[in-house]
Each structure stands twice: as C-alpha cells, then as structure tokens.
Amino acid sequence: MVPRYSRPEMTALWSPETKFRIWFEIEAHATSALAQLGVVPKEAAAEIWEKGAAATFDVARIDAIERETKHDVIAFLTHLAEIVGPQARFVHQGMTSSDVLDTTFSVQLVRASDILLADLDALLAALERRAREHKLTPTIGRSHGIHAEPTTFGVKLAQAHAEFARCRARLVAARAEIATCAISGAVGTFANIDPRVEDYVAEKLGLSPEPVSTQVIPRDRHAMFFATLAVIASSVERLATEIRHLQRTEVLEAEEYFSAGQKGSSAMPHKRNPVLTENLTGLARMVRAYCLPAMENVALWHERDISHSSVERMIGPDATITLDFALARLTGVVDKLLIYPERMQANLDRLGGLIHSQRVLLALTQKGVSREDAYALVQRNAMPVWRGEGDFLTLLKADPEVSAKLSGAELEALFDLGYHLKHVDTIFARVFGTS
C-alpha cells in the first residue's frame, strides 16, 4: 500500500486495529454460540464480550508476542487472555487459525466491496450527467485511430456508463461469492466444534457458511473476486486511454481539468499533460497484476497449506486500496473534464466530407450499381481528398459515373451530419432507461 494512492476509509479497513477487532468478534461470537449449546459457561461468554469489546488491542504487544511464538493467531489469543483473564480459556474452543483468518478476510473483502460499489455509483452518476450534457454534441468516431463516421460525445460516455454498470453487477456477484464463513476446525470436519457455531457466526457477520471448507475457504472464490477487480481496472484504463488520446494536441477534443497554479512540466511552462489518466493507466496495470497470484492460490495442498497467506496479506489491501483510489480519481476526471465541441466539429470537417463515404456507397447500390463498382467509384473520389486535393462532395458531383446515378441534391442530402445521430435517443434509452 502506497499512501500516495490511498484513501482513508479503505486503508483503515486493512489496519491491524481493524483486523484484530474482527478477530475478536469472530472468537466472541463463536464463544456465545458455544455457550448457547452448553459447551462453555454463559457467564464466561458474557465476560469475554464485555472485556474484549471495551478493550483497545495493543498492536505492539501482539507483535512482540508473535516474535516469540512465531504464530499470529496465538499471539492475539495470548494478548486477549491478558485482557479477559481466566475466562479466556473458553476462547477458540474447537477452532483452528484458518477459521479466524479466512472468515476475517471474507469480512474485509465484503466491506471493501461495499466501498468499491459506492465508488462505482459515484462514477456512474458522473458519467450519466456528462453524457446527457453532451448527448447531441457531434464528434468523429474513430476506428484504428482513423476518422470513421460521426457519433456524439454523449454516446462515448454512455458506452463507458454501460461498461461500468456491468462492472458493478460483476462486483455485486463477486461480493456475494466471497461472503462466506468457515468455523469448522481442523481439516474442516467439525469434529471439535458444532456446525451450528458456524451458522451463528455467519449470521452475526452477514456471511454464509462455507459448504466445505477443508480448514480453509476454497480460493476459487478469491480468484473470482480479484479477477473481477482486474476487469474493473481494465475498464478504468479503457476510459482513461480514450481521454488521453482526446487530449493529444492534434486532437484536443477533451482535456483534463488544469487548475490554477498547476504545472505541467518542469522544463516547458506551456505543457498541460494528461497526468491523471496516465496515472490511472498505471494503477490499472497494478490491479490486474494482483489477479494472477490470486488464481495461483487456488491450488493449495490437500486440506490446506499457507502458500496463499503471504500473497493475500499483500494483494488484499493493495488491490482494493488501489482500485478505490483509481475509481475516485476517474470520477473526478469525468466530473471536471473540459470538453471542446468546436474542436470536435473542426475535426469532423477535417477530411473534407470523407466521413460520409458509406452513405454515398449505399446510395449508389440502391440505384442499381453493384457493391464492387460502387466502392470503386467512391474510393477513386475519396483518395484525392485524403491527399488534400479537393473536396469530396465537389469531386463526386463532377464524376460523370456518379452524377449519372445521383443528382447534386441527392448527393448533398447524403452529407447531412444529423443523419448519423437519429438513433442517439434509442442508445440512451438502452443505457439509462430514458433518453
């Protein structure tokens, strides 16, 4: 976790203080369930809750104990016993370390999901607002980076909204899949702890019991979760890359907000660089990088090993903190994005009408010309314009084979920009529910 790319709420979720508080709650809930089953005294469970809930767990003390025991959960339980006293002997009855660690990780990932879902909601709101603002702002669509046919800037943003809406749905599903609890003891057989304890703890924490934990929650769940984060990061990069291209000097149809006093270059005072979206591209690479080790964690030995543990101590905080920061940054970029309709129009006009070539092609086929011949007629008039040698409409009117099929008025009608925007309402209705 790098402070530069972190936000407080998500960072706090992964702090030692938060982790130990969740550990205590799992142990205390399990003890309460055991008390209801008559396995431990009810007064013991009540005292554990009372003293533990009021305690501030000493991270330095736990770390000191772990340096001796070489076991993090035992270190915590030892410190908890120092706080609770003799009744602490009833804590962790029939449980194993993975019960605490895996269930805690589930709780943290669920809470992280809720933060990320709120981030996505904010981004979706910003995208919809800007999309509606520029619903009918004409701009050139590009394929292979080359001018293709007209679209609108609102449609560009509507596409991003639809993509992030899918990301949100995937995250909701990933959250549900990761929200499982394991309190099943050594090798997951419940030999020393009643399955009803797991049911109780799961309900208290808002989780579902893991059907077969084998001492650990199966890591295919975690692989799916981090894969979902990676896909979201890729969508972040897609929109960031689009904005970076649109900010290029030769294009300059949109631009990151440049605040008063901001500097673009240490050497060149004139520079206004797309630093935020370049940063987002880099952060997306990092989130995707955490996906592969999560997948490699799936193949654990037998009922459990801990080869996954060191991996998850890193990727859990880093992936969620980084994506949280990236989504918030992207929302700010979209919200303050500078958009230049005049430049969009100038770029639309840059190729002398070539963007209407398909309409001319189709019109010629409707007049009885074969598609192959129509393509050749249009292309032979388009290539001089591409080289800067004339205007497309003028050349078409002057071509006897074209004018034999299409009158001047018919050709002019084919160059109507509004023709390309006639289904924008349909697209918006599909994305937003209303046009």
Side-chain angles (χ1 to χ4, degrees), residues 4-36:
R4 183 182 182 93
Y5 304 125
S6 307
R7 300 205 304 158
E9 183 182 9
M10 187 69 87
T11 302
L13 172 59
W14 297 100
S15 70
E17 293 80 5
T18 300
K19 177 183 72 175
F20 292 137
R21 178 55 54 184
I22 300 170
W23 284 15
F24 166 72
E25 290 175 0
I26 291 169
E27 295 281 8
H29 282 310
T31 307
S32 294
L34 288 167
Q36 291 182 12

Side-chain angles (χ1 to χ4, degrees), residues 158-326:
Q159 177 280 317
H161 187 284
E163 184 168 345
F164 281 106
R166 293 191 295 274
C167 287
R168 190 187 192 286
R170 294 184 189 112
L171 184 55
V172 168
R175 180 194 186 281
E177 187 168 355
I178 205 65
T180 62
C181 169
I183 308 291
S184 55
V187 303
T189 60
F190 299 98
N192 292 300
I193 193 164
D194 194 296
R196 288 174 290 181
V197 175
E198 183 180 68
D199 292 336
Y200 181 92
V201 175
E203 182 180 0
K204 291 295 183 182
L205 297 176
L207 306 175
S208 299
E210 179 62 46
V212 184
S213 64
T214 75
Q215 194 166 323
V216 294
I217 293 174
R219 259 47 194 180
D220 63 291
R221 294 182 182 275
H222 303 76
M224 191 67 237
F225 183 85
F226 287 99
T228 298
L229 301 193
V231 172
I232 296 171
S234 296
S235 295
V236 167
E237 184 178 10
R238 181 183 182 189
L239 181 54
T241 300
E242 177 69 13
I243 293 169
R244 289 171 61 195
H245 281 309
L246 296 178
Q247 188 165 334
R248 287 183 297 128
T249 305
E250 295 81 2
V251 180
L252 203 56
E253 295 177 356
E255 183 182 24
E256 291 179 13
Y257 178 76
F258 198 83
S259 61
Q262 184 175 340
K263 305 292 188 285
S265 166
S266 64
M268 297 166 283
H270 72 278
K271 294 295 292 298
R272 289 164 64 118
N273 301 329
V275 292
L276 299 179
T277 45
E278 288 176 341
N279 169 252
L280 288 170
T281 297
L283 294 178
R285 293 170 184 167
M286 294 308 302
V287 177
R288 283 196 300 273
Y290 302 129
C291 178
L292 181 57
M295 292 185 174
E296 292 176 337
N297 277 352
V298 174
L300 301 181
W301 284 19
H302 305 302
E303 276 61 53
R304 85 164 296 214
D305 66 53
I306 62 164
S307 60
H308 63 286
S309 176
S310 56
V311 173
E312 290 169 355
R313 289 175 192 268
M314 294 183 183
I315 68 173
D318 286 0
T320 55
I321 289 171
T322 303
L323 185 57
D324 169 53
F325 181 89

